Amino acid sequence: MAHDLGFWTLQALNALQLSMLLFLLSIGLTVIFGLMHFVNLAHGSLYALGAYFAASLAAVGGYWMGFFLAPVAVAGVGILLYSGLIKRMRKSGPMAQVLVTFGLIFVLLDLTRIVWGDLALAIDVPAILSGRLTFLGVEYPTYRLFIIALGLAIFAALAFVLGRTQIGAMIRAGVDNDAMAACLGINVERLFFIVFCVGCALAGLSGAVAAPLLSVTPDMGLQILIPTLIVIVIGGLGSLKGAIAGSLIYGFVQTFGAVLAPQLASVLIYALLAAVLVIKPVGLFPAKG
Amino acid sequence: MFRHTALRYAVLVLLASAALFQAFTAEYFGLEILTEILILAMLVLALDIVAGFGGMVSLCHGALMGMGAYAYAILSTTAGIAPPVAMAGAVALTGAIAWAIGAICSRSHGIYFIMATLAFGQMAYSYVFEAPIFGGDDGLGGISRLDLSFVGIDLNDSRSFALFCLASLGAIYGASVLILRSGLGRSLTGVMHNEQRMRALGLTVWRVKADVFGLSGMIAGLAGVLAAQHIMYISPGLLSWTVSGEALVVVILGGLGTLVGPLVGAAAFVVLKHELSAVTTYWHLVVGALLIAVVMSRANGIFGWIEARWGARIDRRLTDATRKPEAKEVLGDA
Amino acid sequence: MLETRNLDKSFGAVHVTRNVSLKLERGERRVILGPNGAGKTTLFNQLVGELTPDSGSVHLAGEDVTALPVAKRARRGLSRSYQKNTLFDGLTVEENLGLAAAVHTGNATQLWSDSLAKPEVREIVDEVAEQVNLMPYIHAKVSEISYGVRRQLEVGVALATRPLVLLMDEPTSGVGPEMSKGFHDLLNNLPRDLTMLIIEHDMGLAFDVADTITVLNYGEVVFDGLPEAARGSKLLKDIYLGSWEDA
């Protein structure tokens, strides 16, 4: 298999684009878990909702309306879920939480079918991002470059917020030891609520961003769930570093696996996950030692 | 440790009678549903053993069932091995794979255990999907059922096959009870309650987990063999994680760690699915809402709820005539 | 019977075990004393293998077991009870003892028979239940018995593996003074050839049971000798200050 440098650059960009999409999705899930010890399996469904909201809003007011308002709408759904279900499940064991959110997947799946129907929706890339750019010597779709840039920007923003600001310090304290954080006068419940909403908004954003690349279908949330879970388990639950590392590992293994060993590609990532769990049962960069 | 209460016996008798009644009176469609229930019941029994009595919440049991089905299909059609031998081979192979998965995952707990088993299940799914020998997306067809003509039973008849599945389920139920009541089963319960202490007592914890996971895998494998014989055609969808998820939902809806509850759950689930999908295409919505309601009510599923609420009273009623009230205190009765 | 040689362990900058060497003869009953944070439980965890020492070794019945995992050491006759009850909560007293006895008799992984129905298991269960006064509660679930009885069961479960060496981490922790006294009578009535290492907080009670006394302070052995010598030791008074004059 002789490929030129351009080919590999292209693959690397593909891998990076996939990684960034997964990062947007997994960061919310992993921080919610780290802070609240809450595994929200319905996170993928929120991503699907984001895509649907974006598609509907784009039909009314263009792509950017969807891009900016879909996350807000999904955060709104998050608020409903939080006050209706999740707040009450805070004290339950992880198993109960997994099951309730598993039930939520079913409910949200059929609700999107009821509202938007079974047919796939399509959404156009906005004119300004629709062309191709020459980047590192290869022609690459502008929209995909936009996703990479967006992912990196969000990563930088989160790294700044978590690492350098007051609220970031509070979140880290909460992840580390929520009882102690509460003793220090941090309103942990409100912190949970804010983090949950931001996590939902990011899930909605990734749905809105992914919508033009894929067709918007009711089961897209279910399809993305497993890769997202793999990302956070490989990376280690609860940490930004883990989410970005896991996303990059997944993106690159998946993309290059498909090129280099097509027969093994799909097995490869699962084998990697199994290997990580055997060697480091809590992932590569867990939030807690 | 698993114990039969009067209520559990009563429910078992009810279920068995209902199944027999259905088997002898139903037409083709009713028999298909019955067989579907029986096979799902076998799968959820396997899952309840590990999840309900060992705390190992597995998301690869669907894949194990699929492995059993594929192994039987390959052995009996491609390799041309006689069905009884192919059945035994498929069950043994699935058990061996499950044992290895159990051994590897034995160090993981909670959400990590779930993810680890999910990873192995998805690995199998992807492999079956990709490898040409398994027919890929198209699946495999032309699978034959067990030939029992030497005792005058034709399993190609739906009624006979349903009865055959019922008998197999009965045998597997008995075997499950024996497993749970054995020394191994007791140790498993000990591990679930307090793994650290069992280790401090000198138990090789990973072996116990792996052994039970292997046995459970054999049961799931047998369910897969029966599923393959039932539909006579298999596709990779059988190994999908959603099958495992559904099995887990059935166990939870029925009552984790009660063995009888999951049987009730399997019957309720399949019937509900068929009834609802006749009325609406949105039956997932109902199942999802039901799951949320059951878990949020903090009851241990439908059967667990009945047991907690009326179990003692029903037991007293049922046992008054035959046994002393403190009969449930008698231990080592197995 | 049980020996440690230069056991050393640090957690980061905290030196929790400093060069600890102990030697217990067969049948010896030794009490470990020391203030909170002296490293008593950490030492236990290294003895049974729940923690790995940074350096030094642990010997059981003349064999180096430092590299063996918890379960293997237990099977060679090292058993422990915990300061915080570590029982099988949903099960009965009999089943709790039975689990331990089953491991000891090799019935814990048997698929073909119920371990609790085996005569050899039953014999141990009955004997231990008698030894630690659990007979009246034998069919009660752990959740149904009082805290004091649970403490007895905690020791009972450790005894049911028929150990050569029994390590007890504050067996009377949390029970009242009168019950503690009864508990010590119970320990005194255990077979004389059982080697015991006991962490105890209450000095007065410790002297009820001990043949020998070891005092740990900041992870270091500061006293090792007979109870009579300990009683008069100036060093011990300094460590415990007034707290043991009252005892």
Side-chain angles (χ1 to χ4, degrees), chain B residues 23-110:
Chain B
F24 284 109
T25 58
E27 293 305 314
Y28 176 75
F29 188 63
L31 290 168
E32 290 301 295
I33 290 186
L34 176 63
T35 309
E36 198 182 328
I37 291 174
L38 295 170
I39 292 170
L40 180 64
M42 195 178 286
L43 177 66
V44 296
L45 269 188
L47 186 56
D48 197 26
I49 291 173
V50 289
F53 296 88
M56 297 183 275
V57 180
S58 155
L59 269 186
C60 68
H61 266 61
L64 290 173
M65 174 163 104
M67 282 179 213
Y70 268 91
Y72 175 73
I74 295 283
L75 289 176
S76 66
T77 57
T78 316
I81 294 169
V85 183
M87 274 178 89
V91 169
L93 182 74
T94 316
I97 293 172
W99 189 90
I101 294 176
I104 294 170
C105 297
S106 63
R107 282 208 305 153
S108 303
H109 296 94

Side-chain angles (χ1 to χ4, degrees), chain A residues 230 234 245-246 248-254 266-279 284, chain B residues 119 123:
Chain A
I230 292 176
I234 287 183
L248 289 170
I249 290 172
Y250 189 98
F252 278 82
V253 167
Q254 192 76 329
S266 50
V267 180
L268 209 58
I269 192 71
Y270 297 113
L272 184 71
L273 174 59
V276 167
L277 282 169
V278 169
I279 299 159
L284 298 176
Chain B
M123 220 191 293

Side-chain angles (χ1 to χ4, degrees), chain A residues 59-108:
Chain A
V60 180
Y63 174 83
W64 293 108
M65 186 165 168
F67 178 82
F68 286 110
L69 288 186
V72 179
V74 174
V77 174
I79 292 174
L80 287 180
L81 290 182
Y82 188 86
S83 38
L85 281 178
I86 290 165
K87 207 170 169 188
R88 281 178 223 179
M89 297 301 296
R90 291 271 296 113
K91 297 271 181 307
S92 315
M95 201 53 232
Q97 296 172 345
V98 164
L99 288 163
V100 162
T101 53
F102 193 71
L104 210 52
I105 293 179
F106 284 171
V107 172
L108 290 174

Side-chain angles (χ1 to χ4, degrees), chain A residues 140-156:
Chain A
Y140 202 68
T142 315
Y143 189 74
R144 288 173 184 259
L145 287 175
F146 165 69
I147 292 180
I148 295 174
L150 181 72
L152 292 174
I154 299 258
F155 172 67

Side-chain angles (χ1 to χ4, degrees), chain A residues 201-244:
Chain A
L202 283 173
L205 179 68
S206 44
V209 168
L213 293 179
L214 321 157
S215 55
V216 181
T217 56
D219 67 341
M220 66 187 288
L222 213 54
Q223 284 168 9
I224 201 79
L225 177 63
I226 303 289
T228 311
L229 289 174
I230 292 176
V231 164
I232 64 170
V233 171
I234 287 183
L237 290 169
S239 74
L240 180 68
K241 203 166 146 194
I244 191 79

